[in-house]
Amino acid sequence: MVPDPALYELAQAAGRQMLVAGRRLVTAESCTAGWIAKAVTDVAGSSAWFDGGYVCYSNVAKMRDLGVAAELLEVHGAVSEQVVRAMAEGALRRAGVDIALATSGIAGPDGGVPAKPVGTVWFGRSVRGSAGIETVASVRHFVGNREAVRRASVQYALQLIVDLADVRVS
């Protein structure tokens, strides 16, 4: 039985895109805590395109495992464009793959502030190409309880993988 049919379908689509593009993926997850990697590995054969994932929930783990600079965390906070970009780039470099996807957010029920309310999630995407590494970041604001925010984040991340796998970086 598939635990979440919608996420499973997106993970399958991501896998098809990654295989066609001949790319490999790594994840760097904070607020999603490995849920993206779990959704991807629910698909049989995902080892052909999924390298692995880093669950870096604490700031210490972000620094230790992904090389995120302490000053980025101090100045911008864990839930920021700068940190999620550094997470994606760190995962890409450490894993030596083609695409990295990172998440950092505030799932709630606590932890939100006016500038970063509960439901704020940053996504970082790094793609390795012949011209080097290209990283982009985007923010989304999801509504609902902790589970809903995290699930929406996973769904959005899987769609980003589908979209990124088809991008041709020269």
Side-chain angles (χ1 to χ4, degrees):
M1 177 176 183
V2 175
D4 188 322
L7 295 183
Y8 185 79
E9 186 176 313
L10 270 174
Q12 282 184 311
R16 284 191 298 272
Q17 289 293 98
M18 294 293 288
L19 286 171
V20 167
R23 298 214 166 158
R24 292 190 57 80
L25 171 75
V26 66
T27 58
E29 303 182 60
S30 187
C31 67
T32 50
W35 196 345
I36 300 166
K38 187 247 187 270
V40 163
T41 58
D42 280 346
V43 177
S46 57
S47 62
W49 56 274
F50 181 64
D51 188 72
Y54 298 89
V55 176
C56 296
Y57 206 67
S58 71
N59 287 350
V60 169
K62 288 173 182 67
M63 291 183 290
R64 179 192 64 226
D65 299 342
L66 300 174
V68 175
E71 46 276 7
L72 286 180
L73 291 159
E74 292 166 12
V75 172
H76 303 287
V79 181
S80 66
E81 176 181 2
Q82 295 83 355
V83 168
V84 84
R85 281 173 164 272
M87 289 172 65
E89 290 171 2
L92 191 75
R93 286 190 178 98
R94 281 169 164 69
V97 298
D98 309 297
I99 297 175
L101 180 67
T103 61
S104 188
I106 305 166
D110 302 321
V113 296
K116 297 177 188 178
V118 169
T120 302
V121 182
W122 276 95
F123 298 85
R125 299 142 320 178
S126 288
V127 179
R128 184 186 310 276
S130 59
I133 295 173
E134 179 182 328
T135 303
V136 296
S138 58
V139 66
R140 293 293 178 267
H141 300 279
F142 301 112
V143 296
N145 64 18
R146 183 177 181 81
E147 181 81 4
V149 168
R150 293 176 73 217
R151 188 195 177 282
S153 299
V154 172
Q155 184 170 7
Y156 185 79
L158 290 171
Q159 186 61 56
L160 286 176
I161 296 166
V162 170
D163 297 343
L164 278 174
D166 197 38
V167 172
R168 305 278 182 238
V169 176
S170 54

